[in-house]
């Protein structure tokens, strides 16, 4: 290395410029620390080499170079500190990166159990030759009660059970009005199912809700008998639940005669008796019966020529059985932990 003052100062300035250039491209704290160590570092810093030249200079030049050396050292240290501050401020995320954190979850929507059950029931009845019909939720009193042979003083029409609207309107309490609407529009032979929501001012307990889904079914043709009804529904139950025991109990509805309710063996306890089946081993899933001649007549169908059967079933109750859910209310809770179990 040259020992003249001018040469030494030129080399010192070149070193300073090269170090500042390295600082400008140091893009991480690690890179910056490497530059610090190789330039102003106490043990490995190249700046020390210039200080080592001092004794070789002429006496008068020593203080001049010494001052110059100190100025470069102060400048470089300040530049390194400034770069350090800039890099720490701009890279906090990189510094805080926690590779042990669990990955972000991919949420996938799931169908509600009642929707799954509705779609399955529709599929089974489609296979059996039924078509889907619909009717309005806000219904006229006549379609909901009168046309279905309810006497005017029937308790179901009580304000406590039915949600009334203005001018003879109400929220339908069952899907049976779709029987009348369908027969008014299409001549027999006809086989339909009609899924939809119904409304009752029921209290909310383990098996009752104020709004729930129903599926109505109806078949009208010449010579239709109770045998067709029983065979179709037992066949349906086997398809829906897998081989299952069914039983028909006599019942009463104003719009069917004779009337029955169909039970399936409780799947939660396998017929042994539990809270869901109220210790009976059986669960009612639908009401049914032969359509009352008065109902056919009010829909404009000749009851001498035609006969028919109808049923109404509760898919929410069937979902309890199908999926082993102990309480119907959880289906209305919008509880993600419950609902996501049904993701397919
Ligand atoms: N509509 C009746 C109910 O809601 C069910 C039913 C439908 C019964 C059709 C017989 C025939 O309880």
């Amino acid at each position: 290395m040259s020992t003249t003052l001018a040469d030494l100062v030129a080399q010192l300035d070149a070193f300073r410029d090269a170090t500042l250039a390295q600082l400008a491209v140091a893009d991480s704290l690690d890179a910056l620390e490497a530059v610090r160590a190789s330039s102003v570092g106490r043990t490995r810093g190249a700046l020390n080499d210039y200080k080592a030249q001092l004794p070789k200079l002429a006496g008068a030049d020593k203080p001049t170079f010494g001052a110059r050396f100190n100025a470069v050292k102060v400048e470089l240290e300040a530049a390194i500190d400034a770069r350090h501050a800039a890099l720490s401020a701009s890279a906090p995320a990189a510094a805080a990166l926690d590779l042990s954190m669990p990955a972000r979850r991919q949420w996938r929507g799931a169908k509600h159990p009642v929707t799954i059950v509705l779609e399955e029931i529709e599929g089974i009845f489609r296979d059996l030759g039924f078509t889907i019909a619909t009717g309005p939720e806000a219904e006229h009193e006549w379609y909901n009660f009168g046309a279905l042979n309810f006497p005017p003083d029937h308790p179901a029409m009580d304000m406590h059970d039915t949600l009334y609207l203005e001018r003879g309107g109400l929220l339908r309490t069952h899907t049976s009005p779709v029987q009348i609407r369908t027969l008014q529009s299409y001549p027999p032979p006809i086989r339909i199912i009609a899924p939809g929501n119904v409304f009752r001012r029921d209290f909310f307990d383990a098996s009752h809700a104020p709004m729930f889904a129903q599926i109505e079914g109806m078949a009208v043709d010449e010579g239709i008998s109770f045998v067709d009804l029983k065979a179709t529904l037992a066949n349906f139950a086997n398809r829906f639940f897998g081989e299952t025991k069914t039983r028909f109990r006599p019942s009463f509805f104003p719009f069917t005669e004779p009337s029955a309710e169909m039970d399936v063996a409780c799947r939660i306890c396998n017929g042994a008796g539990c809270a869901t089946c109220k210790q009976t081993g059986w669960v009612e899933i639908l009401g049914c019966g032969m359509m009352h001649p008065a109902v056919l007549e009010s829909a404009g169908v000749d009851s001498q020529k035609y006969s028919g059967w109808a049923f109404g079933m509760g898919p929410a109750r069937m979902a309890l059985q199908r999926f082993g859910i102990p309480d119907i209310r959880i289906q209305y809770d919008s509880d993600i932990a419950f609902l996501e179990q049904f993701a397919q």
Side-chain angles (χ1 to χ4, degrees):
M1 214 178 266
S2 165
T3 51
T4 71
L5 177 64
D7 280 346
L8 213 50
V9 166
Q11 285 170 23
L12 184 64
D13 286 348
F15 175 76
R16 180 200 60 190
D17 292 343
T19 305
L20 289 176
Q22 281 176 19
L23 281 183
V25 297
D27 56 3
S28 69
L29 291 173
D30 285 349
L32 178 68
E33 288 314 311
V35 175
R36 189 201 296 275
S38 66
S39 56
V40 299
R42 264 187 351 116
T43 50
R44 289 188 293 115
L47 199 57
N48 294 328
D49 297 341
Y50 297 94
K51 203 174 183 178
Q53 302 298 317
L54 198 65
K56 298 181 187 166
L57 284 173
D61 289 335
K62 285 180 183 168
T64 314
F65 182 74
R68 184 81 194 156
F69 176 89
N70 284 336
V72 167
K73 188 167 190 243
V74 166
E75 187 189 350
L76 286 179
E77 283 175 341
I80 289 168
D81 288 345
R83 186 76 185 140
H84 190 281
L87 284 173
S88 328
S90 69
L97 192 64
D98 178 358
L99 295 177
S100 68
M101 252 168 78
R104 206 164 283 180
R105 261 191 77 166
Q106 297 288 312
W107 290 95
R108 208 147 55 87
K111 283 182 183 164
H112 193 279
V114 171
T115 304
I116 296 172
V117 162
L118 273 168
E119 288 178 355
E120 263 186 50
I121 296 172
E122 286 176 18
I124 292 171
F125 279 99
R126 272 216 188 90
D127 288 350
L128 294 173
F130 287 67
T131 48
I132 311 258
T134 55
E137 293 180 353
E139 191 47 285
H140 194 278
E141 208 172 3
W142 185 77
Y143 282 97
N144 197 81
F145 293 125
L148 289 166
N149 199 37
F150 280 77
D153 58 351
H154 193 280
M157 298 170 68
D158 198 294
M159 291 290 288
H160 293 288
D161 295 327
T162 302
L163 289 151
Y164 281 93
L165 307 171
E166 287 167 0
R167 284 177 275 113
L170 46 73
L171 294 180
R172 65 179 178 192
T173 59
H174 53 177
T175 43
S176 298
V178 184
Q179 293 180 25
I180 308 295
R181 290 187 173 274
T182 306
L183 290 173
Q184 284 180 332
S185 311
Y186 304 97
I190 190 153
R191 280 177 295 192
I192 55 119
I193 60 163
N197 290 327
V198 304
F199 306 83
R200 291 184 196 170
R201 297 180 63 167
D202 264 329
F203 55 94
F204 209 21
D205 70 13
S207 54
H208 295 90
M211 189 204 82
F212 55 99
Q214 263 194 349
I215 299 186
E216 193 79 7
M218 178 181 75
V220 179
D221 199 353
E222 292 180 43
I224 292 258
S225 75
F226 200 91
V227 175
D228 302 307
L229 166 62
K230 236 184 132 172
T232 306
L233 291 179
N235 180 292
F236 160 77
N238 284 330
R239 289 186 190 219
F240 182 80
F241 290 112
E243 274 316 293
T244 182
K245 278 196 229 155
T246 49
R247 72 174 185 187
F248 288 77
R249 281 179 294 105
S251 185
F252 176 81
F253 302 100
F255 38 94
T256 47
E257 179 59 35
S259 303
E261 280 167 338
M262 185 174 93
D263 297 344
V264 294
C266 180
R267 302 177 67 82
I268 298 190
C269 61
N270 266 323
C274 66
T276 303
C277 61
K278 302 195 181 81
Q279 311 304 329
T280 63
W282 294 94
V283 177
E284 179 208 323
I285 59 164
L286 60 85
C288 60
M290 298 305 294
M291 291 172 74
H292 197 290
V295 173
L296 292 170
E297 294 292 341
S298 59
V301 174
D302 180 354
S303 65
Q304 297 293 321
K305 187 173 178 197
Y306 293 106
S307 57
W309 53 254
F311 67 81
M313 64 173 101
R317 276 207 204 161
M318 296 173 69
L320 300 188
Q321 287 295 307
R322 180 57 186 272
F323 299 116
I325 305 166
D327 188 318
I328 212 162
R329 284 168 293 192
I330 194 171
Q331 299 189 359
Y332 300 90
D333 282 350
S334 301
D335 177 344
I336 299 276
F338 168 72
L339 292 172
E340 69 181 357
Q341 298 175 67
F342 300 94
Q344 285 156 332

